[in-house]
Amino acid sequence: MQRRDHRLSLNGLGFHVTEWGEPDAWPVLMLHGIRGYAETFAGVAAALQPGVRVIAFDQRGRGETDWDPRHDYYTDAYVADAEALVAQLGLQRFDLLGHSMGGINAIVYAARHPQRLRRLVIEDAGPGAFEASDGATRIRKELATTPTTFANWDEAAAFMRALRPTVTEEARQQRLRNMLKPLEGGGFTWRYDHAGIVATRLNPDPARKVDLAMHVEQLRCETLVVRGGRSDYLQPAMVAHMQALNPRIAAVEIPDAGHYIHDDQPALFAEAVTAFLKRPDGAASDPIRP
């Protein structure tokens, strides 16, 4: 599988972009979650080969992308970055996938640009989940209590093991490799803008709140919502509400997966995404099963 890493200047910040697959293949843009990174989609990118150009980027303040000095970590800023990326890469029509925060960004982008999207995949995100779910409470607590530094790698690994006990050790180590950077005097700190992201998530500007239900109603492309069977974030009633808002939405639940479906059940997640995105245009929309 071909891989290309490059940088783009978008909205005054430098962004790290990763692509997998043939450069002239059908494009699928993928947006990670609140503490995620482009590399988190390497597994599903491999499963989609051949015939797909997967594009992922470290969103502002994460990975190898610049931090925003103004701490502008709001949905409208993320969507503006995606719009600028699409313009620079010259993408005319493509598929879009987003996880958690990236799922929110994907819904808003898709509602604004119906002419661009063929199909949309939302991984464990939807109206109400960001504000009112047990998972949202958990994420806020995690952000508020996460240490800013670790004395050594083993200490960081123990923290990640306690934070994500259900994912594989391989997935935890991948997270650490992409989320940590060494300190000059020894030890490690986060590669992402922890302080800025925490400030925005825990004390947001109410004027920049997104009415996600309105954007779900406005979706015009085929959409698949993928929920983790034991997710504490996106609840079954929330998925049903999304489908009531928009008949274009199909849904699948991945058993024995939490909020991080692509980490908890990578093979089943890739199977569901591949079946949806690689279904021939105009084919009947059969139920998608994990």
Side-chain angles (χ1 to χ4, degrees):
M1 177 175 66
Q2 290 190 24
R3 177 189 174 122
R4 299 169 298 283
D5 288 89
H6 54 98
R7 292 188 68 81
L8 292 175
S9 178
L10 309 171
N11 298 323
L13 300 175
F15 283 75
H16 170 241
V17 182
T18 301
E19 300 189 26
W20 295 272
E22 298 288 340
D24 57 351
W26 178 259
V28 180
L29 178 61
M30 299 189 177
L31 306 176
H32 63 70
I34 192 168
R35 283 167 294 178
Y37 44 86
E39 190 69 23
T40 196
F41 295 121
V44 69
L48 284 167
Q49 302 308 313
V52 175
R53 172 193 179 190
V54 172
I55 305 161
F57 64 105
D58 297 333
Q59 297 188 76
R60 58 175 55 211
R62 282 85 167 175
E64 296 179 38
T65 289
D66 293 347
W67 295 7
D68 188 330
R70 301 171 301 159
H71 293 172
D72 189 0
Y73 299 117
Y74 287 94
T75 301
D76 55 350
Y78 296 126
V79 173
D81 294 338
E83 290 169 337
L85 176 80
V86 168
Q88 282 214 32
L89 294 181
L91 302 180
Q92 298 301 313
R93 192 161 170 78
F94 56 96
D95 294 337
L96 181 61
L97 180 152
H99 171 238
S100 192
M101 179 199 79
I104 296 171
N105 303 340
I107 290 169
V108 175
Y109 180 93
R112 291 184 183 176
H113 302 280
Q115 77 285 0
R116 295 281 186 194
L117 293 190
R118 185 191 66 147
R119 291 176 185 157
L120 171 66
V121 179
I122 303 301
E123 180 188 356
D124 221 61
F130 180 84
E131 300 85 4
S133 67
D134 290 344
T137 301
R138 169 183 55 79
I139 291 168
R140 287 192 291 267
K141 182 179 179 181
E142 288 177 1
L143 289 171
T145 59
T146 292
T148 56
T149 62
F150 300 96
N152 52 56
W153 191 268
D154 289 342
E155 184 178 297
F159 170 79
M160 186 60 69
R161 198 170 296 117
L163 199 65
R164 301 285 175 265
T166 63
V167 306
T168 65
E169 184 63 22
E170 180 184 2
R172 285 192 288 264
Q173 289 297 321
Q174 186 209 56
R175 283 187 166 272
L176 292 174
R177 288 193 300 271
N178 285 275
M179 295 174 71
L180 292 177
K181 61 182 178 181
L183 290 164
E184 285 188 11
F188 296 88
T189 190
W190 298 111
R191 190 184 297 275
Y192 68 90
D193 185 1
H194 183 73
I197 292 166
V198 167
T200 304
R201 184 66 176 89
L202 300 185
N203 298 289
D205 179 353
R208 299 180 75 177
K209 182 180 177 181
V210 172
D211 181 356
L212 199 58
M214 177 189 72
H215 289 90
V216 168
E217 284 185 300
Q218 294 172 349
L219 296 175
R220 294 295 175 265
C221 61
E222 293 181 74
T223 300
L224 176 67
V225 174
V226 186
R227 178 184 179 270
R230 51 180 173 77
S231 172
D232 60 358
Y233 190 74
L234 185 68
Q235 299 304 300
M238 296 172 180
V239 177
H241 178 54
M242 295 172 75
Q243 291 182 293
L245 288 171
N246 195 317
R248 293 177 176 84
I249 295 176
V252 62
E253 184 169 289
I254 304 296
D256 198 27
H259 181 51
Y260 298 85
I261 305 169
H262 64 276
D263 281 343
D264 288 354
Q265 293 290 348
L268 292 179
F269 178 75
E271 181 182 342
V273 171
T274 301
F276 178 68
L277 294 184
K278 288 205 164 185
R279 187 177 66 224
D281 291 341
S285 181
D286 296 327
I288 295 169
R289 298 180 177 87

